[in-house]
Amino acid sequence: MKIEFNHLFFEYGKNRVLSDVSFSVTGHGLSTIVGPNGSGKSTLLRLAAGILKPSAGEIIIDGAGGMVKERRAKLVSYLPQEQNTAALGVRETVMLGRNAWMSAFASPGKCDDGIVERAMRMFDVDRLVGRTLAELSGGERQRVMLATVVAQNTKILLLDEPTASMDVARAMDTMESLSLLAKTKSVVVVTHDLQLAMRYAENAVLIGNGKVVASGATTETLSPENLGSAYGCRCKIVGDGETRTICFIPGYTG
């Protein structure tokens, strides 16, 4: 399974957000896209999900570009930053992930029920059944929406800030679950949490000012030099292995 971003350009009106962006995500594993606010990270996911169309360049998924909506829904699932807080129940929400595989007006079958139950258990939201999204905390809603994405059962998961609103323990549990999923799927995570990216992602793409600063193995991509260039401040990394910590130091790098 491969996602190729080839010479992408994108503008919102007269504002250029992405400029000649090229990189690829290959095979199974957890990859992350990181960078400062406004650098184009979420835009990249929306382009890959087919929600936006590039001004120039192309995205090729599993060897195909410009695929129809129905095929994309069975291949790619997408978690946006903004979540719906409607009065749907938890289980009803997660079942929405099965829509791509069900014909119009069909009722869920035993297979759908089983997939939904497993997805809810994975993110510990089965205990929230009987409540509506509007009754949940931000972190709980996020876990319900992650279960919904997983219930879609696609080969590629595009997740925009999946640990937003979660405390440290829940965020780490979530990344552990995503790491397990990534053994059989391509999981691409946009995050502002560089520590989680460093700990869990096998590969990383660092974006700055709408361009790729670096991409490749996470430990090489998230180097002090690359991070300093992207974020515009001094940076150092201390510790080793699971204790590696990224430290930003006040002062513009120029």
Side-chain angles (χ1 to χ4, degrees):
M1 184 56 58
K2 185 175 183 180
I3 313 173
E4 300 173 71
F5 298 80
N6 295 330
H7 302 289
L8 286 182
F9 290 79
F10 185 81
E11 292 93 21
Y12 285 110
K14 295 182 179 180
N15 180 32
R16 176 166 288 179
V17 179
L18 298 173
S19 182
D20 199 18
V21 169
S22 294
F23 66 93
S24 62
V25 177
T26 305
H28 302 149
L30 198 155
S31 301
T32 188
I33 302 174
V34 298
N37 289 335
S39 57
K41 304 183 300 297
S42 295
T43 298
L44 278 170
L45 284 199
R46 288 196 286 267
L47 286 164
I51 296 169
L52 300 175
K53 293 184 179 181
S55 305
E58 62 178 350
I59 297 174
I60 299 175
I61 299 176
D62 198 24
M67 65 183 63
V68 297
K69 181 179 178 181
E70 290 76 14
R71 182 187 175 194
R72 188 185 295 267
K74 292 182 178 180
L75 190 62
V76 179
S77 51
Y78 167 63
L79 176 75
Q81 281 189 35
E82 299 298 325
Q83 306 299 340
N84 187 354
T85 57
L88 280 178
V90 168
R91 194 176 191 283
E92 290 78 9
T93 299
V94 180
M95 186 60 74
L96 292 176
R98 301 302 304 151
N99 284 351
W101 301 93
M102 296 165 59
S103 57
F105 308 113
S107 297
K110 289 184 178 180
C111 178
D112 301 302
D113 290 334
I115 290 172
V116 165
E117 292 298 329
R118 287 192 294 273
M120 289 195 297
R121 287 196 299 270
M122 176 175 290
F123 295 101
D124 193 29
V125 297
D126 50 322
R127 63 185 182 84
L128 301 177
V129 170
R131 298 167 66 182
T132 67
L133 293 192
E135 296 171 326
L136 305 181
S137 70
E140 288 171 332
R141 284 197 299 272
Q142 193 76 345
R143 283 158 38 216
V144 170
M145 298 313 297
L146 277 165
T148 304
V149 168
V150 169
Q152 194 172 332
N153 198 27
T154 59
K155 294 181 179 180
I156 298 171
L157 285 73
L158 307 175
L159 310 176
D160 199 348
E161 296 288 353
T163 59
S165 304
M166 294 183 191
D167 59 40
V168 173
R170 281 294 186 187
M172 292 180 67
D173 285 345
T174 296
M175 293 301 291
E176 291 282 355
S177 295
L178 294 178
S179 294
L180 288 174
L181 280 172
K183 294 182 182 298
T184 57
K185 300 175 184 290
S186 294
V187 181
V188 183
V189 172
V190 163
T191 182
H192 281 291
D193 194 323
L194 294 173
Q195 294 301 141
L196 289 179
M198 181 76 80
R199 180 166 184 151
Y200 291 102
E202 299 172 26
N203 296 287
V205 181
L206 178 60
I207 304 291
N209 295 317
K211 298 180 180 180
V212 175
V213 176
S215 65
T218 300
T219 52
E220 297 175 5
T221 299
L222 302 187
S223 69
E225 296 76 17
N226 290 338
L227 290 167
S229 175
Y231 286 89
C233 58
R234 292 179 294 158
C235 172
K236 67 177 181 179
I237 296 176
V238 298
D240 194 16
E242 291 189 352
T243 67
R244 285 170 63 90
T245 303
I246 301 171
C247 301
F248 285 99
I249 306 167
Y252 183 59
T253 62

